[in-house]
Amino acid sequence: MDKHFTVTIHDENGYKQFNVHKFVKKALLYGVAFLLTIALIATGTILYLDHSVDQLQERKEKITDAYTRLQQKNRALKESMQATQASLATKKQELSELSDSLTEIEQLIGLKPLEDASLQERVSTAKLSSSQRATLLQLIPSGSPIAYKGLTSKFGYRIHPTLHKREFHRGSDMKAKMSTPVYATADAIVEWAGYHKKSGFGNLVILEHVYGFKTYYGHLKRVVVKSGQFVKKGTLIAYTGNSGLSNGPHLHYEIRFIHRALNPYYFIKWTQKNYKQIFEKEKKVPWRSLIMATQRLKVVQQTQTQPSSQQEQKSKER
């Protein structure tokens, strides 16, 4: 009886008793304990897995957010690269157009671009600042010597109005009433001032300018400058008239470069606003050399001005 125990079950039908062997009892207890252990392990595993899933979900969300931000940065970078490429293409086109325009200017003024020269170097060579342009227009005949009213006879072949024969007219006859003021068209030394019978110009003024230029003012009524006198651009030099071989009051105006006659009309119309046009119109002048000489003259003037400015500054400090 020691190895058995009795299990009594009471229900509505009465009592029932069962005799169970102790080994079975132990087996049941071990089974229950095992099931409880399994349940605890399963619960712990479920809780651990649930926690791990939450962590993985958080990491997934962080990775998703980071991926989204990275995509946004990539899109922004792509757009920036596209904009940069478009800008570079535009700049490249602008540089190409600038190079073409610079080539045209170089051709106009007689410059031959060097193959190894950079665009900046080419621009520096061809560029004239406002002050350099003013210097060029101050030293080389430019503008009209009288109030411009038009021409009565142009440069080139014509029938001489008094000799009545065909000959080459080396200047331009400008419309003018008697005693119209005549002004120097550039800085110069007066080479001739007086009556010139041989030329037929009557009262004549010849001005000698820099770089090989000369200007002639003929058929004058009265001359107000003297030979050897220095005159600035815009200085009054004479008054128009009808002296010499002339059929009426006007001004005969000539421009010569190294003894070669040039069309004065291009120089009469030459100003700051259209200073490039003469490079295309007048091909007998080596404009490149003149421009380079003007640039060197400007550098010398600046070099001479700087020491004077420094001396004045030192004097003020003392």
Side-chain angles (χ1 to χ4, degrees), residues 38-271:
I38 293 299
L40 289 173
I41 292 173
T43 302
T45 302
I46 292 171
L47 292 175
Y48 172 76
L49 291 176
D50 186 61
H51 178 69
S52 299
V53 169
D54 291 340
Q55 287 183 331
L56 290 174
Q57 185 65 30
E58 290 179 1
R59 290 181 62 185
K60 179 183 176 182
E61 291 176 356
K62 289 181 180 179
I63 292 172
T64 303
D65 293 340
Y67 179 70
T68 302
R69 289 195 298 269
L70 184 60
Q71 283 184 319
Q72 292 174 348
K73 288 182 179 180
N74 285 338
R75 282 195 295 269
L77 182 60
K78 185 177 180 180
E79 292 174 358
S80 177
M81 290 178 64
Q82 290 175 344
T84 301
Q85 289 176 345
S87 178
L88 286 174
T90 302
K91 294 297 181 184
K92 185 177 180 180
Q93 179 65 25
E94 291 175 354
L95 285 174
S96 177
E97 293 175 357
L98 177 60
S99 180
D100 293 339
S101 299
L102 182 58
T103 300
E104 293 177 2
I105 294 173
E106 289 171 334
Q107 291 174 349
L108 288 177
I109 63 178
L111 288 172
K112 294 182 179 179
L114 300 175
E115 295 182 358
D116 57 346
S118 66
L119 185 61
Q120 183 177 1
E121 290 172 340
R122 291 172 61 194
V123 170
S124 298
T125 302
K127 182 179 66 178
L128 282 176
S129 66
S130 296
S131 61
Q132 288 172 326
R133 294 181 191 179
T135 301
L136 195 66
L137 295 172
Q138 183 74 21
L139 299 177
I140 298 176
S142 60
S144 180
I146 61 174
Y148 186 76
K149 301 294 183 181
L151 303 178
T152 59
S153 183
K154 298 180 180 180
F155 177 84
Y157 282 99
R158 66 165 187 174
I159 302 298
H160 194 282
T162 57
L163 299 177
H164 304 292
K165 64 179 182 179
R166 188 173 184 270
E167 65 177 16
F168 191 83
H169 189 217
R170 294 178 179 274
S172 294
D173 289 344
M174 304 182 69
K175 291 181 181 179
K177 294 180 179 180
M178 186 70 74
S179 300
T180 299
V182 181
Y183 303 97
T185 52
D187 295 355
I189 297 294
V190 180
E191 181 183 295
W192 180 274
Y195 195 82
H196 199 279
K197 184 177 180 180
K198 184 178 180 180
S199 65
F201 291 144
N203 290 323
L204 173 68
V205 172
I206 301 176
L207 299 184
E208 184 174 356
H209 309 280
V210 297
Y211 306 135
F213 286 91
K214 285 187 179 182
T215 50
Y216 292 66
Y217 310 79
H219 306 302
L220 303 170
K221 177 181 180 180
R222 183 161 65 95
V223 176
V224 298
V225 291
K226 295 181 180 180
S227 180
Q229 180 181 341
F230 174 76
V231 294
K232 297 280 290 182
K233 179 183 177 72
T235 300
L236 177 66
I237 59 174
Y239 293 92
T240 60
N242 190 32
S243 61
L245 295 176
S246 172
N247 63 349
H250 71 282
L251 174 67
H252 175 84
Y253 180 54
E254 283 188 26
I255 297 179
R256 297 186 186 182
F257 175 72
I258 316 295
H259 306 294
R260 289 179 294 179
L262 306 176
N263 190 339
Y265 182 76
Y266 301 145
F267 293 84
I268 291 171
K269 294 298 182 180
W270 189 25
T271 63

